[in-house]
Each structure stands twice: as C-alpha cells, then as structure tokens.
Amino acid sequence: MLIDGMALLFRAFYATAVTGQFMFNSKGVPTNGVHGFVKHMLSAVAGFGPTHVAVCWDMGSKTFRNEMFPLYKANRQEAPLELIPQFSLAKEVVSAFDIPNVGLEGFEADDCIGTIAKNAPKDVRISILTGDKDILQLIDEQVSVILLQKGYGNYFVHDRHTLFGEKGIWPEQMIDLKALMGDPSDNYPGVRGIGEKTAVKLLQQYSSVEGIIENLDNLTKGQKTKIEQDLEMLHLSRRLAEIKCDVPVECHLDHAFFQLDREKVSAKFDEIGLKGLHKMLPANPILA
C-alpha cells in the first residue's frame, strides 16, 4: 500500500480545523492533522491488510512543474501556521511504525507514488490510498486506487473497470481529460470553454489529445476554434497533468514490510501527545 501522506494529512487537518479543534499537546503544538492522519492510515491498513506499506510526501512547495508554468498552484494559500509543525510530526510517527517516508525535492508525492508503483515487481499488487483523484491515472491491471470518503474507514476502490464505469474513459485517458478541461485547483486552464462533459465525449470519439488534434476538421466549429486558440496551453496542460513515473526515488519491498513494534509506536504516541490512538493498534505485534 502506497499512502499519499499529503492528501491524508491535509484532509485530517481541515476536517477539524474548520471548527478550531487543533488538539494542542502539552508542548502547545497542534496535533489534529497528525491524529487524523494516523486514524486514516491504521483504518486502511486494518481494512485492506497490506503486507508492505510506504508513505509519500511533497518536499517543498516548488516543483519542476513551476518551472514549466510559473502560475502552477499559484492560487494556493500558504499552509496554516497550525499545520506547519505537523508535517514533521507525521513523518516521525510514520518512522516509528518502521514505514518508509519517501519524497524528493522538486517533485510531488504523486510523482514518487507513480514511480514506485510503475517500477514494482510485476507480481506485486499495488493499492494507493489517497483522497486525490489525480492519482486515478495510475490505475492499471497491477494498480488500484483507494479513495477516501467522508469519515474514517469509508473508501471507494477503483480499478480499470470501475473507473470506466463511472467516467466512461480509461485511466490512461485521465491525463488527456485534465489537459482539455484544465484543473482550477492546480491553476492551469486547459482549453477555455471545454468542460468535462465535452472533454469526455471527445476522448470517447478520438481516444487522446493527439487523436482529437488529428480530427479537428471533424469537430464542431466552436470546439475546433477553442482548441486551436488554446493549442499551446493544451499541450502544456497535458505535461502538467501527467504524473512523472521516472523520479529518482526507490522503495525496496524488504524496507517496506509492515511489522509493527507496538511499544515503539505507543511511546511515540505518548511523546507527541496523540491520545486515543493506542486502542487502534493491533494486539499482535506483527500485522501483515
């Protein structure tokens, strides 16, 4: 199981921050995000029973995508002050579980997840735990995506066929979908005036961005005009949307074997001030 640490930590933080429940520990450090992160992680591990686990993180706010497009994620606000110290605390907890923390400056957690997933031995089944639908593009016969739903322990598991059933396109077409319709949360526009419904219809007809461009004369006049006017941004948006799967990171299976040292983890919970989580730890020292 590859865990999108950023997605879990942010989701956990904002679920309680909106009502001001920051759960300060004895040192005055907020722990609400870390507390929820651990609950999400333990719930998923208990529910899906992976033999190996790794957690991937962003390492800074700037990546190679900012070099391609300076406005990439420029609409994002700085992390709240209450969240900033929780990044390192979350990694400390992960280390206490003897789970690898994976990240590389200049790349996003998604890129690390994609690289590990695509380079895993072909007989290994990979599940990705996240709340970020961008990762759906990584789904293949070997890789499934566990999407967090509201609350804890609630998931929607996507494989190739469930995604096609929901979207009408295949995982590998998700990059082209974002290229066409853009992504407001990441602050790139795609093709102005092309929404999801039109983008899906075009991909169903012509398979890819390249196929659509080759058949511009077969599109409606409005569709053709919009794509021709934003052709450069279309190509750029596709490069921004694509998860990079050749990042120089690695995670050996033997380093990610999930073997829980209950005493070590409990001590870290006590040190950080994470109350109520001890009961979620399995009695068996090895959970695999």
Side-chain angles (χ1 to χ4, degrees), residues 39 58 148 187 198 206 280:
K39 284 185 69 174
D58 292 353
L148 296 169
N187 203 44
T198 299
Y206 303 112
M280 294 188 70

Side-chain angles (χ1 to χ4, degrees), residues 160 163-165 167-171 173-174 177 199-200 203-204:
R160 285 183 58 81
L163 181 65
F164 184 84
K167 292 285 189 181
I169 57 176
W170 297 104
Q173 294 176 295
M174 292 296 291
L177 177 65
V200 167
L203 290 172
Q204 288 173 337

Side-chain angles (χ1 to χ4, degrees), residues 12 60 65 113 149 156 172 230 246 284:
R65 292 181 177 86
I113 290 171
Q149 304 297 297
F156 192 99
E172 53 270 24
D230 274 339
D246 58 355
N284 188 338

Side-chain angles (χ1 to χ4, degrees), residues 28-41:
V29 179
T31 59
N32 65 315
V34 180
H35 192 279
F37 167 86
V38 174
K39 284 185 69 174
H40 279 305
M41 183 176 75

Side-chain angles (χ1 to χ4, degrees), residues 46-108:
F48 294 93
T51 55
H52 299 74
V53 181
V55 182
C56 295
W57 303 94
D58 292 353
M59 301 296 286
S61 59
K62 300 295 183 183
T63 69
F64 72 96
R65 292 181 177 86
N66 296 99
E67 297 175 9
M68 294 166 53
F69 185 55
L71 294 177
Y72 181 72
K73 293 189 177 181
N75 56 336
R76 301 280 182 97
Q77 295 182 341
E78 292 292 325
L81 291 176
E82 294 86 358
L83 176 58
I84 291 174
Q86 299 192 60
F87 290 111
S88 58
L89 288 183
K91 292 172 187 174
E92 283 184 35
V93 174
V94 170
S95 294
F97 277 94
D98 294 319
I99 294 172
N101 283 301
V102 182
L104 185 65
E105 190 172 345
F107 299 95
E108 297 181 40

Side-chain angles (χ1 to χ4, degrees), residues 97-217:
F97 277 94
D98 294 319
I99 294 172
N101 283 301
V102 182
L104 185 65
E105 190 172 345
F107 299 95
E108 297 181 40
D110 291 4
D111 302 313
C112 297
I113 290 171
T115 297
I116 296 170
K118 296 302 181 181
N119 289 281
K122 295 306 177 187
D123 61 339
V124 174
R125 301 287 297 175
I126 305 289
S127 59
I128 302 171
L129 178 67
T130 184
D132 184 358
K133 293 184 178 181
D134 290 349
I135 288 181
L136 294 172
Q137 65 181 264
L138 296 176
I139 293 172
D140 59 22
E141 297 300 336
Q142 184 182 2
V143 178
S144 60
V145 171
I146 305 167
L147 284 178
L148 296 169
Q149 304 297 297
K150 188 175 182 179
Y152 293 96
N154 299 315
Y155 314 98
F156 192 99
V157 182
H158 265 308
D159 58 22
R160 285 183 58 81
H161 299 287
T162 60
L163 181 65
F164 184 84
E166 179 180 301
K167 292 285 189 181
I169 57 176
W170 297 104
E172 53 270 24
Q173 294 176 295
M174 292 296 291
I175 306 168
D176 300 88
L177 177 65
K178 287 192 66 179
L180 287 161
M181 59 182 287
D183 187 339
S185 67
D186 286 343
N187 203 44
Y188 59 88
V191 177
R192 289 167 295 180
I194 297 287
E196 182 172 4
K197 185 176 179 181
T198 299
V200 167
K201 182 178 179 181
L202 291 173
L203 290 172
Q204 288 173 337
Q205 289 179 288
Y206 303 112
S207 181
S208 65
V209 164
E210 290 77 10
I212 293 169
I213 292 172
E214 289 172 2
N215 288 276
L216 280 178
D217 289 338

